[in-house]
Amino acid sequence: MKANHSKNIPEDQLVNLLIQKDKTALSYLYDHYSHALNGVIFRIIGDEDISAEVLQDAFIKIWNNIQSYDSKKGKLFTWMLNISRNLAIDKLRSKEYKKSKKTDDINNTVYLKESSNSLDASVDAIGVRDLLKHLNQDQEMIVDLVYFKGYTQSEIAEEFKMPLGTVKTRLRSALIHLRKFIK
Amino acid sequence: MNLENYISSGILESYVLGELSSTEMKEVEANALKYPQIREELKNIENVFFEIANSNSKAPLPGTKEALLSKIESLEHSTTNETKVISIDAATNKIEKSGKGLIYWAAASAALAVISTVLAITFYSRWQNSENQLATVLAENSRLATDYNTVNQNLTQAQRDLAIVNQKDFKRIEMKGLEISPNSLARIYWNENSQEVYLNVTNLPSPPTGKQYQLWAIVDGKPVDAGVFEPIQSEKMLQMKPIQNASAFAVTLEPQGGSENPTMEAMYVMGNVNEA
């Protein structure tokens, strides 16, 4: 992960500092997580300027709502990721951004081609290949829809006329498969 | 409950993705409390999602960080009251302008028309007011919700702190003020076995801008970084970095973000482990 790692603050303490509105903690948070979050946002939005806006909105929301983060419910990153992803999806569906981009994605049958185009748009995965490349086309489609396009598994089942059970099994087996490629 | 079936149903993936209703979420959390396999599985799922994001990471446009930080600064200086006053003024101006024009017009037409028009304006202004009131109430509600969460979190924290102080596995180390700050006082609660370190500040002066306090543990004669912190004077326990084999603890004042090595001349408090 690209970031300045000179001081590694444990998550507990980072959250403590953020609750106290410590600006260095916010800076640390940005340095360590902005690339990962922006990558997700960009893959949903597809526009660098709007992604930058959404990224800022996400950090502001994280900053303003840090008290509602509950470490018992999961890791800080997951919480931040869901905030970022939801904001990106809202932006995508908002009146101001009314392109038919989303519908186009659904109609695009050559699925792998679509995702490799977004990779060309200067993703800074130096030495780290897109993890999703390890998946077959069916699995990659589900993970991409769920993770980057914000579909719930039920929405996928409806949209693609698949049994919900199949969607869930496919997602789960994709994620389990990916575990092998993580150190 | 059949654990295997529960896990392979994919409900945990849905949980991490934020797809579940709050009732469904509570159910998952209750099960996670009971079964370590579920906790383990949740961790694994979160990890994969993290790595997917990482492998797709993309640098934001240059200048984004600065824009964010300045937005945060200006958010902290603005007040919602300002906005409220402005919108009420705008509404009143609107009504006055149209009122004058309408009275002129009314002079040349039936009294009934005048009455109905005035009524319309009145209701428009009342609607505007109630819209503003609604906005205020909504904002208040959201503030209350945040406050409730803060209180809840504080309560959980207080309960945890009490547990720490009472546990016999925790050694208490008093760090007393040194020459540059003789009245300073802070306390360390250290569990040798779990390596947990908690810091409680009784008295430390506010650091100047650009500086930050840093906790150190002396391990085998050498200082080890235990984390930076803000000196909140209260009953609060701050969890610091895990430490083993400490013979002493000390706090120095460093540049913001901390240093690799302690500035010995800026040491505020220190305490040895085997005293008291």
Side-chain angles (χ1 to χ4, degrees):
Chain A
M1 180 170 67
K2 279 171 71 106
N4 170 19
H5 271 286
S6 59
K7 291 223 91 40
N8 236 305
I9 305 181
E11 201 161 288
D12 249 31
Q13 184 164 355
L14 183 59
V15 175
N16 252 341
L17 290 171
L18 289 168
I19 291 174
Q20 292 157 42
K21 294 291 169 248
D22 182 318
K23 298 279 172 56
T24 54
L26 176 62
S27 189
Y28 178 96
L29 200 70
Y30 185 93
D31 292 340
H32 279 72
Y33 297 113
S34 62
H35 288 209
L37 294 176
N38 190 55
V40 175
I41 292 169
F42 179 77
R43 204 156 154 165
I44 294 173
I45 302 264
D47 176 307
E48 283 191 301
D49 290 297
I50 302 184
S51 298
E53 264 180 54
V54 174
L55 182 71
Q56 289 175 59
D57 289 343
F59 271 98
I60 291 173
K61 194 162 183 186
I62 290 165
W63 176 255
N64 286 337
N65 293 288
I66 187 68
Q67 309 92 309
S68 61
Y69 163 66
D70 185 347
S71 59
K72 284 200 295 295
K73 300 194 178 183
K75 295 174 62 169
L76 181 62
F77 181 79
T78 306
W79 184 73
M80 297 196 295
L81 177 65
N82 284 334
I83 289 177
S84 308
R85 208 179 51 213
N86 290 336
L87 279 175
I89 290 162
D90 287 346
K91 192 71 171 193
L92 198 65
R93 294 175 180 168
S94 76
K95 271 192 275 191
E96 312 139 43
Y97 195 73
K98 205 65 180 198
K99 289 181 171 191
S100 49
K101 196 172 196 288
K102 195 168 181 197
T103 349
D104 287 345
D105 293 339
I106 298 170
N107 294 332
N108 194 332
T109 50
V110 186
Y111 211 80
L112 279 174
K113 185 169 181 217
E114 212 275 311
S115 55
S116 63
N117 278 342
S118 57
L119 271 179
D120 286 347
S122 59
V123 167
D124 59 11
I126 299 172
V128 179
R129 316 201 63 209
D130 177 13
L131 210 55
L132 302 191
K133 281 199 159 162
H134 297 292
L135 300 175
N136 67 43
Q137 195 163 353
D138 287 335
Q139 291 172 327
E140 179 167 359
M141 179 182 95
I142 302 264
V143 175
D144 188 277
L145 284 172
V146 148
Y147 197 84
F148 294 105
K149 303 285 189 299
Y151 283 77
T152 62
Q153 296 175 76
S154 329
E155 285 169 348
I156 296 174
E158 220 183 278
E159 192 76 49
F160 293 86
K161 313 278 189 283
M162 292 168 66
L164 180 58
T166 309
V167 177
K168 289 190 172 181
T169 314
R170 211 169 271 181
L171 175 66
R172 188 165 159 76
S173 58
L175 296 180
I176 290 176
H177 181 64
L178 288 179
R179 288 184 204 180
K180 302 199 194 91
F181 301 97
I182 300 168
K183 35 187 161 51
Chain B
M1 179 186 80
N2 186 321
L3 261 185
E4 260 195 58
N5 287 345
Y6 186 75
I7 292 178
S8 39
S9 71
I11 191 164
L12 300 182
E13 281 81 1
S14 298
Y15 177 82
V16 176
L17 285 166
E19 290 178 7
L20 299 181
S21 69
S22 53
T23 340
E24 290 168 324
M25 289 202 306
K26 289 205 183 90
E27 205 187 283
V28 171
E29 284 151 22
N31 286 327
L33 272 178
K34 270 205 278 186
Y35 302 101
Q37 300 96 309
I38 293 187
R39 290 199 290 276
E40 185 65 30
E41 193 62 17
L42 281 171
K43 252 203 284 183
N44 287 332
I45 294 169
E46 282 193 280
N47 208 24
V48 173
F49 282 139
F50 179 62
E51 291 298 334
I52 292 175
N54 255 346
S55 73
N56 268 285
S57 66
K58 179 173 168 59
L61 285 176
T64 304
K65 185 179 183 183
E66 293 71 22
L68 168 69
L69 293 176
S70 64
K71 269 191 198 160
I72 299 257
E73 287 292 326
S74 57
L75 277 176
E76 298 191 330
H77 294 311
S78 74
T79 53
T80 43
N81 283 336
E82 268 175 75
T83 334
K84 187 183 170 187
V85 168
I86 288 167
S87 52
I88 290 175
D89 278 346
T92 326
N93 280 337
K94 243 197 201 171
I95 290 159
E96 269 176 25
K97 272 195 196 152
S98 46
K100 284 192 181 133
L102 284 160
I103 288 168
Y104 178 80
W105 171 81
S109 72
L112 193 62
V114 175
I115 291 166
S116 60
T117 311
V118 169
L119 278 177
I121 296 167
T122 313
F123 284 121
Y124 175 76
S125 120
R126 285 203 196 153
W127 171 78
Q128 277 267 301
N129 278 342
S130 59
E131 284 281 295
N132 291 331
Q133 282 171 25
L134 179 65
T136 312
V137 169
L138 286 173
E140 275 177 25
N141 275 351
S142 123
R143 242 174 291 137
L144 278 172
T146 310
D147 288 348
Y148 171 77
N149 279 327
T150 311
V151 170
N152 218 15
Q153 186 133 26
N154 285 345
L155 180 63
T156 318
Q157 179 120 4
Q159 285 167 337
R160 190 180 70 165
D161 292 351
L162 195 61
I164 292 166
V165 173
N166 288 336
Q167 265 191 57
K168 55 178 166 58
D169 289 330
F170 277 87
K171 270 194 170 147
R172 197 173 98 166
I173 298 115
E174 297 275 342
M175 296 191 291
K176 302 210 174 77
L178 299 174
E179 257 176 48
I180 50 173
S181 188
N183 292 325
S184 288
L185 186 64
R187 219 167 268 143
I188 293 289
Y189 291 87
W190 177 48
N191 184 325
E192 269 181 304
N193 298 322
S194 69
Q195 298 179 22
E196 289 167 279
V197 176
Y198 291 93
L199 166 69
N200 177 254
V201 175
T202 309
N203 189 16
L204 267 181
S206 287
T209 339
K211 295 260 184 190
Q212 197 168 30
Y213 284 113
Q214 186 164 4
L215 177 69
W216 304 90
I218 309 298
V219 178
D220 299 329
K222 294 202 263 308
V224 171
D225 164 48
V228 291
F229 64 95
E230 296 301 305
I232 3 150
Q233 253 104 259
S234 69
E235 308 311 306
K236 268 195 179 171
M237 297 271 193
L238 291 174
Q239 183 163 21
M240 310 301 285
K241 296 187 182 186
I243 293 288
Q244 54 180 348
N245 294 332
S247 53
F249 286 90
V251 171
T252 62
L253 188 64
E254 302 295 337
Q256 194 122 44
S259 308
E260 297 281 345
N261 291 300
T263 309
M264 302 308 280
E265 316 78 60
M267 190 175 293
Y268 278 65
V269 292
M270 194 196 83
N272 289 316
V273 171
N274 290 316
E275 287 170 14

